[in-house]
Amino acid sequence: MKKLTLYALKHDRDNILLNLQRDGNVMLLQAAESASLAGAEELGARVETTKGAISFVGKHGGKASLLAGKKPVGYELFLNENHEGAELSRQIDSLAEKIASLRNEASTLLGQEEHLQPWRDLEIPLENLRETQSSAFFAGYLPEAALEEVSGELEGLPAEMEVFGESPEGRALIVFVHKSAGTKVKHLLKRHEFADVIFPKRTGLVREIIEESAEDARSKEALAAELEAEAMEVTKKKEELFLYYDQLVAKQERMQHRGEETEKTFYLEGWVRADRTEAVRRAVNEATDAFELNFVDPEEGEVPPTVMENGSFAAPYEAVTELYSRPRLGSLDPNFLMAPFHFIFFGMMLSDAGYGLILTILLFITLKVFKPQETAGKLMTVVFFGSISTVIWGAMFGGWFGLEWKPLLFAPMKEPLKMLALCFALGALHLISGMVMKMYMEIKRGQVWNVVFDQLSWLILFTGLFLMVYLPESSAGKYTAMASAMLIVLTGGREKEGYVSKLISGVLSLYNISSYVSDLLSYSRLFALGLATGVIAMVINTIAQMLWVVGPVGIVLAIIVLVGGHSFNIVINVLGAFVHTSRLQYIEFFGKFYEAGGKAFVPLAIRTKYMDVTK
Amino acid sequence: MLSLGTSLAFAGAAFAASLAGVGSAIGVGIAGQAGAGVISEDPEKFGNVLVLQALPGTQGIYGLLIAFIIVLNIGVIDGNIKDLTTYQGLALFFAGLPIAIGGLFSGIYQGKVCAAGIYLCAKRPEETGKGIIMAAMVETYAVLALLISFIMVNGVKL
């Protein structure tokens, strides 16, 4: 990784950034206090508008078709801002706004109508409903239970109560009263939790207003529907919108890099892979010849981002490693070794050839059609490889949709101990590979003695223990184990001060054997998860079988159980297999050697959501 | 007439399926409550949250699995229930216990870790994978319990 510094003229900046984005080789650093380029805010607003337009289009039948995948578009075409898309985005935005406001008004009117319903029979036009010289009135709602009591108490007072319809607030009513008794009636009503009504500022009889409002609301709704139909027309051109959106986002990313600037020039910093510096120089040179471009090694204390590069089999597994943490710069990229183990373990955990076949086909189609990018695509490829491995292991163990059929190796359910032995053997191989990786790294760093004391001694100890178990009559194993144990005790505390503490931590380091044992036992999950898949499939088959004999209805139910059950089993066990396989890598394998802590290399590049830019 | 042995085997299956199921139910419940809270803020996270909520569900499945093998072995499925000796029954009863108890507690604690993972996913969605892995650490012990239960059930010769 090299550090890039670039000085150039401000009027060339757009072109330089454009070329850098096209090639995607440079990760530009955000200068501490430098803001985005002028116009970035306005651009952000446009992105939001277009996003809104796309979601509006999606709601009106113009969803990006699920099977279509990304549409290819030429680079030249991609560079020219799509005016039709811009126009469309504005158009849809204003349409959406209009529709929303019409709907809003309509619902207000409907609310008003509902509010007025109890007052339907009021024979006084609303504008005439006010106090006169000698009389006042109280209009509002009274709880149903208090109605009789109030009307009783009103008797004998110069008041008249008129009762209308029911409403959620209570019974609608108006009390007309002579002003002399106004306060008295007011208190009386208040005591019974009378709530005043506020009539809308409208004129005419209530029932006329109700009809008017309903009519109004209907016509507004109809207008909104008409506009929506118009929008349907517009959404046919959604492709333009998608292209425009991707263009805007690409531009937005460019605009974040203003760099430091003077009146005429600007300055940018970034990271480039050491083998890509020439490509970067070419890209800048294409835009201008007035520039000063330098590549320097990172300084002490600077942490450059890390890039992993692998062959086509191991590359998808980078996503698994990234889920844990990237390797630190200069340490080992574990993927080439992790990939085969991940492949094997995933298949063993799922271990049903039928499921494997279904998954292989489904994922193959998905990968071909959707071409998922970046992490999602990599993870999907990992599962795809895993499902191929599942077919292999399923055939080995004879698992086909929970039925046993001609195992090539043996049936784990029948011979669990053999299966456990296989798991531990593979586990030992995995752990030893991890230790070998550590040894390689230490040797490269010149720490040969560390290798002998910390890894080799243990490997010899394991060999000795192995020999003791398998060749009990020969004493070679015993002596090998004892010699290596002595070596561990003598050297385990070599970093401590003083002979006593050296000896104590040496003896304690022998205790590490327990961590190796627990690491190894952890591989029993290979068997257990395979077991889970197989037995659940068996349960599903048994239930279906019981239903099948019942009759025609039973057969239908049995088919539902078979399809639904096996699908559920696949989903839950793919999740389980992936998670537990990854765990074996992270804890047991990486724990032996891996140096994490790298940062991601995120270059300035064209990242699209809908279009596939072809160069 | 069922023998005492057969009844004990039934008890073993019942414990395996029910206790592990209770563990999962509680675990999924805890995670689900956390999940609903996160989704109320950001409905787009439903996919990630659902995965995390589903994780503590496996203990119940493991329990069912052992219970199923027990009832299969004693002939409940095909209708010819075998007469077990008391010791055979007792052995099957004990064989059901590891996954019953292991599943019960690991389900509950996995649910708690998943709830925490769901909050993690709310704040830093890009790190959801790590939340899932941490939840899987708890599941290890259910897996181990399942394994030993299976080996024990398999070892009882009828």
Side-chain angles (χ1 to χ4, degrees):
Chain A
M1 205 51 71
K2 294 269 186 192
K3 186 156 192 185
L4 159 151
T5 55
L6 170 69
Y7 298 88
L9 293 172
K10 260 157 95 177
H11 65 80
D12 291 327
R13 178 164 46 195
D14 284 351
N15 286 332
I16 292 174
L17 285 174
L18 211 54
N19 286 353
L20 290 181
Q21 187 177 38
R22 179 194 61 199
D23 294 349
N25 282 329
V26 183
M27 176 177 169
L28 288 174
L29 294 176
Q30 293 279 19
E33 78 282 19
S34 88
S36 310
L37 279 164
E41 247 171 60
E42 188 259 325
L43 186 69
R46 257 155 68 200
V47 171
E48 283 310 310
T49 311
T50 314
K51 215 190 217 166
I54 288 175
S55 97
F56 178 85
V57 166
K59 275 191 209 124
H60 293 85
K63 244 199 177 88
S65 159
L66 267 180
L67 285 170
K70 284 185 176 181
K71 197 177 159 224
V73 56
Y75 180 65
E76 292 301 321
L77 195 66
F78 186 76
L79 281 191
N80 295 323
E81 196 168 291
N82 184 357
H83 292 295
E84 203 170 336
E87 181 55 39
L88 209 57
S89 146
R90 268 192 296 276
Q91 219 174 327
I92 290 178
D93 188 48
S94 81
L95 260 180
E97 205 171 297
K98 262 189 224 155
I99 292 173
S101 88
L102 277 172
R103 287 260 152 82
N104 207 349
E105 283 167 33
S107 86
T108 314
L109 281 169
L110 286 177
Q112 216 172 62
E113 187 210 319
E114 201 176 326
H115 179 62
L116 283 175
Q117 272 307 345
W119 304 92
R120 222 187 146 78
D121 296 332
L122 184 62
E123 295 293 344
I124 310 167
L126 281 186
E127 73 271 23
N128 290 351
L129 193 68
R130 32 192 152 125
E131 290 189 4
T132 64
Q133 212 157 25
S134 57
S135 75
F137 73 96
F138 301 97
Y141 306 98
L142 196 68
E144 204 71 37
L147 203 57
E148 224 158 285
E149 208 176 326
V150 171
S151 85
E153 281 179 46
L154 280 176
E155 246 164 68
L157 286 172
E160 172 83 32
M161 183 164 78
E162 200 172 335
V163 179
F164 299 97
E166 283 172 37
S167 81
E169 290 99 338
R171 182 59 78 110
L173 56 81
I174 299 184
V175 180
F176 298 97
V177 60
H178 191 266
K179 271 195 177 156
S180 60
T183 17
K184 209 166 178 188
V185 171
K186 189 172 175 187
H187 286 303
L188 188 157
L189 287 171
K190 199 163 183 188
R191 217 169 45 239
H192 292 284
E193 294 173 8
F194 176 84
D196 284 318
V197 64
I198 299 160
F199 286 115
K201 297 215 176 337
R202 304 272 293 258
T203 55
L205 284 174
V206 169
R207 62 176 157 278
E208 284 167 14
I209 297 175
I210 287 176
E211 261 145 47
E212 253 172 58
S213 302
E215 180 59 36
D216 238 15
R218 257 197 303 281
S219 74
K220 292 215 152 104
E221 192 60 47
L223 196 57
E226 217 169 279
L227 285 179
E228 251 174 8
E230 194 180 315
M232 287 290 206
E233 269 318 294
V234 183
T235 55
K236 281 185 191 142
K237 290 188 274 181
K238 59 179 190 276
E239 305 278 339
E240 308 289 340
L241 216 50
F242 292 161
L243 174 60
Y244 182 58
Y245 177 79
D246 279 345
Q247 287 172 334
L248 285 184
V249 171
K251 189 167 177 192
Q252 200 178 27
E253 202 184 335
R254 281 201 303 278
M255 288 190 106
Q256 280 166 11
H257 301 286
R258 192 184 70 149
E260 307 283 350
E261 51 185 22
T262 65
E263 200 178 324
K264 286 268 166 59
T265 64
F266 72 99
Y267 164 72
L268 279 174
E269 277 186 349
W271 295 104
V272 191
R273 283 174 54 165
D275 56 342
R276 297 280 164 85
T277 51
E278 273 321 295
V280 172
R281 186 175 294 280
R282 262 200 309 280
V284 178
N285 205 6
E286 267 174 48
T288 173
D289 44 14
F291 66 92
E292 167 75 22
L293 181 61
N294 285 310
F295 301 103
V296 291
D297 287 323
E299 282 166 42
E300 192 80 23
E302 278 183 326
V303 187
T306 352
V307 181
M308 293 183 270
E309 198 169 50
N310 282 289
S312 53
F313 173 65
Y317 290 89
E318 288 166 5
V320 178
T321 306
E322 271 166 37
L323 210 56
Y324 181 77
S325 173
R326 288 162 175 279
R328 215 169 48 218
L329 191 80
S331 68
L332 264 178
D333 176 351
N335 291 303
F336 73 97
L337 198 55
M338 193 261 275
F341 281 111
H342 201 286
F343 179 80
I344 293 169
F345 292 163
F346 188 98
M348 276 179 91
M349 285 187 187
L350 209 50
S351 73
D352 188 296
Y355 288 0
L357 274 179
I358 291 183
L359 271 175
T360 309
I361 294 166
L362 283 182
L363 285 170
F364 180 76
I365 295 171
T366 317
L367 285 169
K368 275 283 161 245
V369 174
F370 294 111
K371 299 194 179 69
Q373 304 288 311
E374 314 220 341
T375 311
K378 282 180 175 176
L379 287 177
M380 205 175 272
T381 317
V382 167
V383 179
F384 172 64
F385 288 155
S387 55
I388 297 174
S389 159
T390 305
V391 179
I392 300 169
W393 281 110
M396 296 272 212
F397 296 147
W400 295 85
F401 294 108
L403 305 170
E404 200 186 308
W405 185 68
K406 289 188 186 163
L408 300 176
L409 207 59
F410 58 84
M413 296 265 271
K414 298 257 172 61
E415 298 172 84
L417 287 180
K418 235 181 192 174
M419 180 65 188
L420 274 178
L422 176 66
C423 293
F424 292 146
L426 283 170
L429 194 64
H430 198 208
L431 292 172
I432 291 170
S433 327
M435 291 171 76
V436 171
M437 293 280 265
K438 177 78 180 174
M439 288 159 77
Y440 170 75
M441 262 163 38
E442 291 281 353
I443 289 172
K444 230 173 82 176
R445 289 173 186 162
Q447 309 280 353
V448 179
W449 287 115
N450 280 354
V451 172
V452 175
F453 297 150
D454 292 340
Q455 273 84 36
L456 209 56
S457 57
W458 282 102
L459 288 179
I460 297 169
L461 177 60
F462 296 150
T463 320
L465 292 175
F466 185 80
L467 288 177
M468 272 167 74
V469 175
Y470 279 88
L471 298 169
E473 62 277 6
S474 133
S475 53
K478 201 165 82 188
Y479 291 124
T480 320
M482 276 164 71
S484 55
M486 281 300 283
L487 184 66
I488 292 166
V489 170
L490 287 177
T491 61
R494 62 186 182 281
E495 255 137 49
K496 290 274 189 284
E497 297 283 330
Y499 290 105
V500 179
S501 58
K502 267 188 208 294
L503 192 65
I504 290 174
S505 52
V507 172
L508 283 181
S509 76
L510 198 59
Y511 185 69
N512 269 340
I513 189 99
S514 74
S515 92
Y516 283 104
V517 170
S518 76
D519 278 351
L520 194 62
L521 287 179
S522 178
Y523 288 84
S524 62
R525 77 186 67 228
L526 289 174
F527 178 26
L529 282 156
L531 195 70
T533 321
V535 177
I536 296 166
M538 213 165 83
V539 175
I540 295 162
N541 291 340
T542 314
I543 295 172
Q545 206 176 7
M546 286 174 7
L547 288 168
W548 192 271
V549 292
V550 175
V553 183
I555 290 178
V556 174
L557 285 176
I559 290 170
I560 294 174
V561 166
L562 280 178
V563 173
H566 284 302
S567 314
F568 166 78
N569 197 19
I570 290 179
V571 170
I572 198 94
N573 279 297
V574 164
L575 179 65
F578 182 80
V579 166
H580 283 278
T581 307
S582 303
R583 176 225 136 99
L584 285 178
Q585 311 294 343
Y586 298 157
I587 312 292
E588 277 75 19
F589 186 54
F590 284 1
K592 295 282 164 291
F593 69 96
Y594 188 58
E595 292 172 9
K599 280 192 303 179
F601 178 75
V602 190
L604 174 68
I606 300 170
R607 292 190 181 77
T608 58
K609 199 166 168 188
Y610 304 103
M611 296 294 169
D612 188 15
V613 179
T614 51
K615 283 166 198 159
Chain B
M1 259 309 266
L2 289 175
S3 67
L4 176 61
T6 310
S7 310
L8 281 170
F10 267 91
F15 273 115
S18 59
L19 287 188
V22 167
S24 270
I26 297 176
V28 173
I30 294 170
Q33 287 170 9
V38 169
I39 288 170
S40 71
E41 290 284 322
D42 186 357
E44 302 215 331
K45 297 218 171 79
F46 183 66
N48 286 343
V49 167
L50 193 68
V51 169
L52 275 162
Q53 197 200 345
L55 283 179
T58 38
Q59 281 82 352
I61 297 175
Y62 297 157
L64 172 78
L65 193 153
I66 292 302
F68 182 80
I69 301 177
I70 293 177
V71 293
L72 184 75
N73 284 0
I74 62 176
V76 176
I77 306 281
D78 51 18
N80 311 310
I81 300 182
K82 294 174 190 159
D83 264 340
L84 271 61
T85 67
T86 307
Y87 285 108
Q88 283 173 330
L90 208 51
L92 281 178
F93 175 74
F94 282 126
L97 288 187
I99 190 59
I101 299 167
L104 173 63
F105 289 106
S106 83
I108 296 170
Y109 282 95
Q110 196 178 15
K112 291 180 178 171
V113 177
C114 283
I118 285 170
Y119 294 134
L120 170 84
C121 152
K123 285 188 182 148
R124 306 191 58 173
E126 71 280 4
E127 304 294 0
T128 308
K130 290 176 186 158
I132 294 174
I133 298 293
M134 282 197 268
M137 305 301 283
V138 185
E139 190 168 307
T140 301
Y141 305 101
V143 172
L144 296 182
L146 163 69
L147 196 64
I148 203 66
S149 275
F150 174 77
I151 291 174
M152 285 159 83
V153 170
N154 224 35
V156 180
K157 296 280 171 274
L158 301 178

